[in-house]
Amino acid sequence: SNGAYKYFLDGQWRESESGKTVSVTNPSTRQTCYQVQACTQGEVDKMFESAKVAQKAWAKTPLWKRAELLHKVAALMRQHAKPIADCLVKEVAKPAKDSLSEVVRSADLLDYCAEEGLRFLGEGQLLAADSFPGHARNKLCLASKVPLGVVLAIPPFNYPVNLAVSKLGPALMAGNAVLLKPPSQGAVAGLHMAHCFHAAGLPTGLLAVATGRGAEIGDYLTMHPGVNCISFTGGDTGISISRKAGMVPLQMELGGKDVAIVCADADLALAARAIVRGAFSYSGQRCTAVKLVLVEAAVAEALVGALAAGVAGLRVGLPEEDADITPVVSSSSADFIEGLVRDAQEKGATFVNGAFRREGNLLWPLLLDHVRPDMRLAWEEPFGPVLPVMRVASVAEAVAHCNASKYGLQGCVFTRDINAAIAISDAMETGTVQVNAPPARGPDHFPFQGFRDSGIGSQGIRNSLAMMVKTKSTVINLD
Ligand code: G3P
């Protein structure tokens, strides 16, 4: 044995025939904390073969039985929440409390998915031909929802459990098989999560988990003829997957440059609290983190003061200690963030709460004022604890900046005027606009979608169920 965590195929935990492993690095210590198997292309082929066979039987399994199984998985995830969360703390440096709530939220998602699936998937359509010109009532169309086949699920490092479950739950409930490719950072949490499905009695072959480097098996997975749907959450890789993928439905959630527009009439204390939480939770490593504040000049001074006070209250430290700001996922990520900050510094941004400070992958939270459109931070996504503030002359200027971004995931607006809020939301070309609260995906049954380079399709439990089925019609021709 090479001592690495095993991958999952045909209901068994196995070592890869490659004999190779991939190291998972603890972002806090920058030491290897786990090893996982580097699966081969041949092993991936076997996963698709088994999944295809298992899916045929699963599609015939009554919906209530599929629901029962998902409820069982949810119960097991709650029961084992702590050890799964401990992996998240080590692999992705997520604060202990947030790691635990990620697992519990995932169990809740599975329960909801089972219930929603029973209702939604069980309903189809009955159409009579006589509503179309020239037809009589001698043709009846029965349209039902049938599974797509094998869904390839690729979650990112920031929610290795929740963003796996948000794909697996709807896919399985809808009668599909799943091949899961966890992120390397977060792979072990993903394997433990998968074990809950196994222990609940999921049919052999219906779920496979392939670990390994994206560079080695990524294209092979996404371009495999056995794929019938790809659900991907992550960065720009999603754009190249979309270009290369065959004729299969895609669900993509990529980056975001979520803006917070603060109007002159806003409750500034509320806005500042919401923005600090939105920008710095999980150290800004969320697609839905606030990544740019666009504030009307009249209240900029007051808002920046309130934001600075909020940032000063953030505790910097280790995820085990449940600090607010923990090390970012990798040194390359820390380097990238540092590059964005240096660029803003050279171009004249103001450092409101002290200079840039970094120890290893740990970055102290930064509030940058007087950010301008010629700075990279006005457009790029740091995915770290950095909050840039741009002062604007008008709300129209803020909306124009938001719409000029290549991203369009979420955004938020702070104002006391509900009419203005709706008008601004309508004008913002983003998938979701939150009024008087920071961007967030949850609750997990809400629709979640990105415009432009932020994604394809809509998620949220109902929308994911809808996306993972196709319509099948049987037309009854009467005499
Ligand atoms: O970054 C992933 C995205 O789905 C964010 O989710 O729950 O932090 O809003 P959440």
Side-chain angles (χ1 to χ4, degrees), residues 153-411:
I154 310 182
F157 82 84
N158 65 346
Y159 287 93
V161 174
N162 184 264
L163 285 172
V165 161
S166 70
K167 303 173 192 312
L168 262 85
L172 293 170
M173 188 60 200
N176 299 285
V178 180
L179 199 166
L180 172 69
K181 163 66 180 77
S184 292
Q185 299 293 136
V188 177
L191 291 168
H192 281 79
M193 184 259 338
H195 191 65
C196 295
F197 285 81
H198 177 49
L202 197 76
T204 302
L206 198 62
L207 170 65
V209 188
T211 52
R213 291 218 180 284
E216 276 166 32
I217 51 167
D219 279 354
Y220 195 72
L221 283 164
T222 54
M223 295 166 76
H224 201 283
V227 172
N228 303 119
C229 168
I230 303 175
S231 179
F232 173 92
T233 308
D236 289 348
T237 317
I239 294 175
S240 58
I241 292 176
S242 305
R243 290 208 181 97
K244 292 184 218 161
M247 217 173 72
V248 298
L250 300 177
Q251 188 177 49
M252 295 273 155
E253 196 252 289
L254 313 180
K257 181 73 185 173
D258 307 31
V259 303
I261 298 181
V262 182
C263 302
D265 75 330
D267 177 338
L268 294 181
L270 175 146
R273 271 197 313 276
I275 290 169
V276 169
R277 191 171 79 246
F280 294 102
S281 57
Y282 190 32
S283 306
Q285 297 174 109
R286 296 163 57 237
C287 317
T288 50
V290 173
K291 294 187 183 116
L292 182 65
V293 176
L294 297 162
V295 56
E296 284 199 275
V299 290
E301 215 53 50
L303 180 78
V304 169
L307 290 173
V311 173
L314 296 170
R315 287 176 306 115
V316 181
L318 292 173
E320 288 85 354
E321 299 159 351
D322 223 21
D324 300 306
I325 304 296
T326 55
V328 295
V329 70
S330 63
S331 47
S332 59
S333 174
D335 293 345
F336 176 76
I337 298 161
E338 183 169 351
L340 291 180
V341 172
R342 301 274 181 229
D343 170 77
Q345 186 170 27
E346 278 158 26
K347 291 172 184 163
T350 312
F351 286 61
V352 182
N353 64 331
F356 178 78
R357 184 175 169 199
R358 169 179 175 182
E359 281 172 22
N361 296 344
L362 187 60
L363 303 173
W364 269 253
L366 278 182
L367 176 62
L368 302 188
D369 194 5
H370 300 288
V371 167
R372 289 190 320 261
D374 64 327
M375 300 175 189
R376 290 175 61 198
L377 263 181
W379 306 102
E380 292 180 50
E381 182 181 22
F383 234 64
V386 178
L387 180 59
V389 177
M390 234 170 89
R391 300 178 177 216
V392 291
S394 66
V395 168
E397 184 186 331
V399 171
H401 184 90
C402 164
N403 292 348
S405 167
K406 67 174 182 168
Y407 296 113
L409 188 63
Q410 290 213 358

